[in-house]
Amino acid sequence: MAAAADRTIPDLIAPGLDVLFVGINPGLWSAATGCHFARPGNRFWPALHRGGFTPRQLHPGEQGELLGWGLGITNMVARASARADELTAEELLAGADILAGKVERYRPRWVAVVGVTAYRIGFARPKATFGPQPELLGGARLWVLPNPSGLNAHFTPETLGAAFGELRAATTAG
């Protein structure tokens, strides 16, 4: 896995998505496999399904199917690391600027950042909480979800699924 350090993986993005999910940065497992949220124990894929975004739980290798459902994935910071806390504030701030450019280019309806700490730092919103955010990003509505990493023990698979479900309800309400 050390060989995957500092690697990047391609965005899963297309114009006009309903939701663009934004990870903090790829983990080493994801960088090694080329798939987003690939580490066994990462709960993104179960939460996506429990939240009602996919008709079944996908395996990371099936990530390309998301585009057909109007969903995409990118990261705040492109370089891989073992842990998100290895990133600097400067990287997160620069990543937020890069993300803003992607959102302006691809025009998703919603942008969902998975990780409140990364959102707070990258967007200079130190008091941000989970859920909808008051500002827009390049015309897209913003939502902050819990980090689905297995290292985030504050959220269970059930509570992660419920958080994703709240976003899903908001995206279908208008």
Side-chain angles (χ1 to χ4, degrees):
M1 286 299 150
D6 299 324
R7 282 194 190 168
T8 61
I9 57 176
D11 291 336
L12 183 68
I13 196 167
L17 295 171
D18 291 324
V19 181
L20 178 61
F21 291 94
V22 182
I24 300 168
N25 75 311
L28 299 180
W29 196 285
S30 291
T33 63
C35 297
H36 294 274
F37 301 103
R39 184 174 188 80
N42 189 297
R43 298 161 307 164
F44 175 81
W45 298 102
L48 199 65
H49 174 61
R50 285 176 188 237
F53 283 101
T54 59
R56 63 181 175 81
Q57 184 175 321
L58 298 177
H59 180 274
E62 298 174 299
Q63 67 186 14
E65 293 186 31
L66 291 179
L67 293 175
W69 291 313
L71 307 173
I73 305 173
T74 188
N75 289 290
M76 285 270 289
V77 175
R79 84 168 171 93
S81 66
R83 297 173 53 101
D85 62 9
E86 296 174 22
L87 302 175
T88 66
E90 292 76 19
E91 285 178 294
L92 291 167
L93 288 163
D97 285 342
I98 293 167
L99 175 62
K102 290 177 188 179
V103 171
E104 288 175 14
R105 178 177 177 196
Y106 290 100
R107 300 279 186 211
R109 289 182 42 233
W110 289 84
V111 173
V113 179
V114 292
V116 70
T117 302
Y119 179 81
R120 288 173 179 163
I121 296 168
F123 288 92
R125 303 276 191 264
K127 296 184 183 197
T129 59
F130 297 109
Q133 303 304 303
E135 67 274 357
L136 299 177
L137 180 64
R141 303 269 320 265
L142 270 169
W143 194 282
V144 176
L145 289 165
N147 182 345
S149 167
L151 298 174
N152 183 4
H154 293 96
F155 289 87
T156 66
E158 293 76 21
T159 58
L160 278 171
F164 275 64
E166 290 174 19
L167 170 60
R168 176 72 177 142
T171 66
T172 57

